[in-house]
Amino acid sequence: MSRESEPKANQAPVDQSAPYNPGELFDTTAEYYSRYRVAYPDQMFEHLRARLSLDGSQVVLDLGCGTGLFTIPLSRHVQSVIAVDPEPSMLAEGARWARDAGRRNIDWRRGDSYGLAEMALPKLDLTVIAAAFHWMDRAEVLRVLDELTREDGAVVVATGGVAGAEKGPWDHVIADVRKKYLGPHRRAGKGLHLPDPVPVESILDDSPFSGVEEATWEWEYERDLDSLIGLQFSLSWSTPAQFRDDDHRRAFEQEVRRVLSDEFPSGRFVQKITSRALIAHRP
């Protein structure tokens, strides 16, 4: 490709000061998210079942549920799950997967952490927050959950998948192509992805749920080339909406496919993943 024909980076404005708009972070990713994000390990749910005495009688909130990667497996151990997410397409995809799995005890609701106090939720035995916690005002969410949670209830913050994956040698290759098409900033909707410097553990230590225990699981996940490319469109910084148009997105996909095929001809991409659950009770 000649220099003259190289694609220009997406020049859509990036607001470096605006807070995240939850509804625009993943508004074009539902299909990619459900197909290409890594599920949480079965051992995590078995551990939560045993440690929290989940016996089918609990009312649970899954806040920032996405397409239900955590919601659906958890629903097998509790009475009901209220699954909340700001993006309708994510909720629809999750509801479809739940129907296919025969899970009918999930209430899929549109909403986000900033409107939690106004959602008329019942008293909760448990709240789980998985990949979405870093998008929230975490201290405020935990304050509101203190009002909504039964005295012996708990909050679980879980990580894994993309967040828990060890970087592979292919990641810098993809990053270079992404910068070429979308510019140097790590985007999040119309703003930038700005990691919170305060660790989750510190947030929990300063919250009403300061009694924290940790459990971790290490495992490997193998992707093929199609899966690795599909994963890129599930990420907030390279969702389909971040590209100028479909042609721009397809050009990005084709170039990623070409450079990965050249550098990794085996087509196998094995990631080491650490999944973690922080179980937080009131002290």
Side-chain angles (χ1 to χ4, degrees):
M1 180 180 290
S2 69
R3 182 172 300 275
E4 289 76 12
S5 61
E6 286 182 358
K8 295 180 180 179
N10 190 338
Q11 297 300 312
V14 177
D15 189 336
Q16 301 191 33
S17 61
Y20 300 124
N21 178 348
E24 70 181 24
L25 289 171
F26 296 100
D27 61 350
T28 56
T29 66
E31 179 183 358
Y32 297 102
Y33 203 104
S34 64
R35 290 183 62 185
Y36 299 116
R37 287 293 182 108
V38 180
Y40 294 89
D42 292 341
Q43 297 94 319
M44 179 182 288
F45 296 99
E46 181 56 31
H47 178 80
L48 294 178
R49 183 200 64 76
R51 181 63 187 87
L52 297 172
S53 301
L54 303 180
D55 58 6
S57 65
Q58 289 77 22
V59 176
V60 178
L61 171 67
D62 185 350
L63 185 58
C65 63
T67 60
L69 289 176
F70 209 100
T71 318
I72 295 170
L74 183 64
S75 71
R76 299 184 175 97
H77 303 294
V78 301
Q79 181 182 75
S80 62
V81 183
I82 303 166
V84 174
D85 199 89
E87 174 46 47
S89 64
M90 298 284 256
L91 295 170
E93 187 76 0
R96 182 179 71 81
W97 280 100
R99 287 194 299 271
D100 290 347
R103 306 309 306 163
R104 295 179 173 82
N105 61 335
I106 303 172
D107 176 8
W108 302 90
R109 298 192 192 183
R110 186 178 184 183
D112 61 61
S113 61
Y114 298 96
L116 195 58
E118 290 75 47
M119 289 193 67
L121 294 169
K123 276 292 184 180
L124 302 169
D125 298 291
L126 174 66
T127 294
V128 296
I129 310 173
F133 199 37
H134 65 286
W135 298 115
M136 302 176 186
D137 181 338
R138 296 178 294 178
E140 176 62 14
V141 166
L142 293 168
R143 185 195 67 76
V144 174
L145 288 176
D146 184 38
E147 300 175 1
L148 296 173
T149 304
R150 297 183 188 278
E151 188 61 34
D152 59 349
V155 173
V156 171
V157 179
T159 58
V162 173
E166 182 179 289
K167 290 289 186 183
W170 52 85
D171 284 303
H172 78 275
V173 175
I174 298 172
D176 287 344
V177 179
R178 185 171 60 244
K179 289 176 184 177
K180 177 178 174 180
Y181 282 79
L182 296 178
H185 301 295
R186 184 164 168 171
R187 293 162 174 255
K190 294 183 177 66
L192 295 182
H193 182 277
L194 301 173
D196 193 322
V198 182
V200 175
E201 293 87 344
S202 296
I203 299 290
L204 290 169
D205 285 345
D206 292 336
S207 81
F209 300 92
S210 59
V212 181
E213 60 185 77
E214 177 180 348
T216 62
W217 299 265
E218 294 184 350
W219 50 296
E220 290 187 345
Y221 185 82
E222 181 176 334
R223 293 186 183 275
D224 60 16
L225 181 58
D226 288 339
S227 173
L228 187 58
I229 291 172
L231 174 67
Q232 308 313 308
F233 299 122
S234 80
L235 304 172
S236 63
W237 53 90
S238 53
T239 68
Q242 298 287 4
F243 295 86
R244 289 195 303 264
D245 50 37
D246 285 343
D247 288 341
H248 192 224
R249 182 193 60 78
R250 280 192 291 267
F252 165 80
E253 178 177 345
Q254 290 166 2
E255 184 158 351
V256 171
R257 185 179 298 277
R258 177 179 59 77
V259 296
L260 289 177
S261 296
D262 289 345
E263 296 204 26
F264 306 95
S266 72
R268 296 178 64 249
F269 305 89
V270 180
Q271 290 182 301
K272 294 182 179 180
I273 297 176
T274 300
S275 296
R276 181 174 73 149
L278 296 175
I279 303 173
H281 290 89
R282 298 181 180 90

